[in-house]
Amino acid sequence: MENLILIFISTVLINNLVLTYFLGICPFLGVSGKLESSFGMGMAVTFVMTLATSISWLIYHFVLLPWNMVFLQYVIFILVIASLVQIVEMFIRKFSSPLYQSLGIYLPLITTNCSILGVAIFMVTRNYHFAEAVVFGFSGGLGFALVLLIMAGIRQELEYADVPGVFKGAALTLIIAGLLSLIFMGFSGLVSS
Amino acid sequence: MMKDFLKGLWSQHPIFRQLLGMCPTLAVTTSAENGIYMGLAVIFVLVFSSLVVALIKKFIPHQVRIAVYTVIIATFVTIVHIFLKAQYPDVSMALGPYVPLIIVNCIILGRCEAFASKHSVSTTLYDALGMGVGFTWGLFILGSIREFFGSGTVLGVAVLGSAYNPLVVMILPAGAFLVLGFLVAIMNGLERWKI
C-alpha cells in the first residue's frame, strides 16, 4: 500500500511525465490554449492511460512472456492503445452523449500521444506488478492533466499580455514549460529514495 | 526532386517550423552525440516506413490507414531497437525508452499520412530524407548548445577548461524547454526578416 502511494506521488509531482520525461508534449503545446479543452483532454488521457496500462500489463505477462514473444511488445502495445481508443470512442458515443460531447474530439488525438505508450514501456522496464501498473497509469494521466491545466491557466492570462512578436505561441509555451519544470524540481525532496 | 528534399531542411523544418517530434527532441539532446544517434535512428525509420507506405498505398483501406501506418512504423522501430541493443549497447542505454518511443514520433506518422500516401515512391524518398536530415540537424544544434553550457564540452571534448562552472540546468529537463523555446523564437525572427 505504502508502495502504491509512493508511486502515485512520485508520478504526479516528482517525475511528472510532461516535465521530466517530455512525454505528451505535442498535445501539451496544442491543446493548452483553453482551460475547458485542457480539462477534457486531461480526463480523456487519464481514462485511456489507466485502461491501456492495465491491458498492456495483462497481455505482456499472460501472452508475450509465456509465448516468448517479447520482441513484439511495441507492435502489440501500440495496437492495444489504438484499438482501445477506438473502442472507448464508440462506447461513449453510444452510451453517454454529454460525455462524448466533452471528451469525444480528444480521443482520436490520444493514439499519437506518446505518454500512453511511454507509460506502457516504463511499466515493463520498471517491473511493476499489476496493482502498481494500474496506479502508475492512473497517476501518469493525472500528472499530465495537472500540468496541462496549470499551463492553460497561465496561457489564458497571457492572452492579454504584450509579448514580443517572435515569442508568441510555441516559443513562449516552451519557455513557460521550462520554468514549470524548474518549479516542479522543488518536489524532488518529497520522497527520499 | 530537390525541392522535396530541401523543404525539410529549412522552410518546413520538422522541429522549428512544425513543432513535431517534441519528446525525443527534448529528451535525448543532453549531448550533441546523442542527438545525432537519435537523428540517424529516425532517418532509418522515416525513410523505410514512408517507402513501404508509398509502395502499398493502393492496398490500404482508408478507414484503417492510421493503424496500418502505425504497425509499419512499429516494425521498423523494433528492428532499430534490437539492432542498437545488440551492436551498440552504449547508445541503446543512452537513448533508453526514447528509441521505442520513435513509434509515436508525430513526424513519421505525419509524413506517412500527409506525403507518402499521396506521392510516388521516388518523391517520397526525397521528402523522407529531407525531413530526417532536417530533424537531425535540429537535434544536433539543440544538443550542442545544451552540452556546451551544461558540461563545457563540444562533442565530448572539454573546451572550456576546469575554471568553467557548468550551468547544470542546461542538461536538466528545464534547460531543454528553455533552449528550444529560444531557438523557436530565433527561427520565428529569421522568418519574419525573410531569411
Side-chain angles (χ1 to χ4, degrees), chain B residues 3 10 13 18 27 32 38-39 42 68 73 76 90 96 100 119 132-133 148 165 192:
Chain B
K3 221 175 64 199
W10 191 256
H13 191 279
Q18 303 189 58
M38 176 49 93
V42 168
V68 175
I73 296 168
F76 284 110
D90 298 346
H119 293 82
V133 175
F148 182 76
N165 207 355
R192 181 170 292 191

Side-chain angles (χ1 to χ4, degrees), chain A:
Chain A
M1 193 60 210
E2 192 185 319
N3 198 7
L4 298 182
I5 296 171
L6 282 185
I7 289 179
F8 181 81
I9 294 175
S10 91
T11 318
V12 173
L13 294 177
I14 306 168
N15 294 317
N16 188 285
L17 292 179
V18 181
L19 297 176
T20 53
Y21 293 113
F22 311 104
L23 298 173
I25 298 285
C26 300
F28 182 65
L29 295 178
V31 191
S32 62
K34 284 209 184 81
L35 266 176
E36 261 170 57
S37 49
S38 309
F39 187 75
M41 183 70 171
M43 288 307 108
V45 167
T46 310
F47 186 59
V48 174
M49 198 182 271
T50 315
L51 270 180
T53 324
S54 325
I55 295 177
S56 306
W57 190 94
L58 292 173
I59 292 185
Y60 185 80
H61 286 268
F62 291 114
V63 180
L64 296 182
L65 274 183
W67 293 74
N68 221 351
M69 296 196 301
V70 176
F71 65 94
L72 276 180
Q73 57 172 317
Y74 306 133
V75 181
I76 301 284
F77 286 174
I78 196 74
L79 274 179
V80 166
I81 293 165
S83 38
L84 194 68
V85 169
Q86 203 83 51
I87 292 169
V88 169
E89 192 190 357
M90 288 191 295
F91 193 78
I92 61 172
R93 187 179 346 187
K94 181 114 174 125
F95 291 103
S96 164
S97 154
L99 196 62
Y100 183 71
Q101 298 276 322
S102 53
L103 295 190
I105 45 168
Y106 304 108
L107 283 170
L109 295 173
I110 289 180
T111 314
T112 48
N113 184 333
C114 28
S115 56
I116 314 259
L117 184 65
V119 165
I121 291 171
F122 281 140
M123 157 205 96
V124 170
T125 50
R126 293 180 188 176
N127 284 323
Y128 282 150
H129 57 67
F130 187 66
E132 288 174 332
V134 175
V135 171
F136 181 53
F138 177 67
S139 46
L142 275 191
F144 176 79
L146 174 72
V147 178
L148 198 62
L149 281 175
I150 296 177
M151 188 56 133
I154 297 175
R155 278 179 70 177
Q156 262 187 354
E157 293 293 314
L158 280 176
E159 294 249 304
Y160 308 104
D162 190 17
V163 181
V166 289
F167 280 99
K168 275 209 175 93
L172 190 67
T173 313
L174 284 166
I175 291 168
I176 298 170
L179 298 177
L180 273 182
S181 174
L182 279 178
I183 295 168
F184 269 63
M185 276 169 59
F187 287 118
S188 61
L190 213 54
V191 175
S192 59
S193 53

Side-chain angles (χ1 to χ4, degrees), chain B residues 124-144:
Chain B
T124 300
L125 177 66
Y126 284 99
D127 175 74
L129 274 177
M131 287 292 162
V133 175
F135 184 62
T136 309
W137 83 251
L139 292 184
F140 178 73
I141 298 285
L142 191 58
S144 304

Side-chain angles (χ1 to χ4, degrees), chain B residues 22-153:
Chain B
M22 286 290 122
C23 29
T25 306
L26 294 161
V28 303
T29 49
T30 46
S31 73
E33 208 185 343
N34 284 349
I36 292 180
Y37 291 138
M38 176 49 93
L40 291 178
V42 168
I43 291 178
F44 174 84
V45 177
L46 181 56
V47 167
F48 282 96
S49 323
S50 300
L51 282 183
V52 171
V53 169
L55 275 173
I56 63 167
K57 57 177 179 278
K58 289 200 188 83
F59 308 106
I60 303 177
H62 187 73
Q63 295 89 337
V64 293
R65 65 187 193 291
I66 301 290
V68 175
Y69 299 160
T70 316
V71 172
I72 295 171
I73 296 168
T75 312
F76 284 110
V77 170
T78 307
I79 295 173
V80 171
H81 182 68
I82 294 174
F83 173 76
L84 283 180
K85 226 171 164 177
Q87 297 291 326
Y88 301 98
D90 298 346
V91 178
S92 185
M93 281 292 283
L95 298 183
Y98 297 99
V99 176
L101 283 172
I102 297 176
I103 299 172
V104 275
N105 188 326
C106 0
I107 297 172
I108 302 176
L109 195 63
R111 285 340 275 174
C112 288
E113 163 77 0
F115 201 92
S117 62
K118 299 187 184 95
H119 293 82
S120 70
V121 175
S122 55
T123 340
T124 300
L125 177 66
Y126 284 99
D127 175 74
L129 274 177
M131 287 292 162
V133 175
F135 184 62
T136 309
W137 83 251
L139 292 184
F140 178 73
I141 298 285
L142 191 58
S144 304
I145 297 174
R146 289 180 66 193
E147 189 188 337
F148 182 76
F149 290 107
S151 1
T153 56

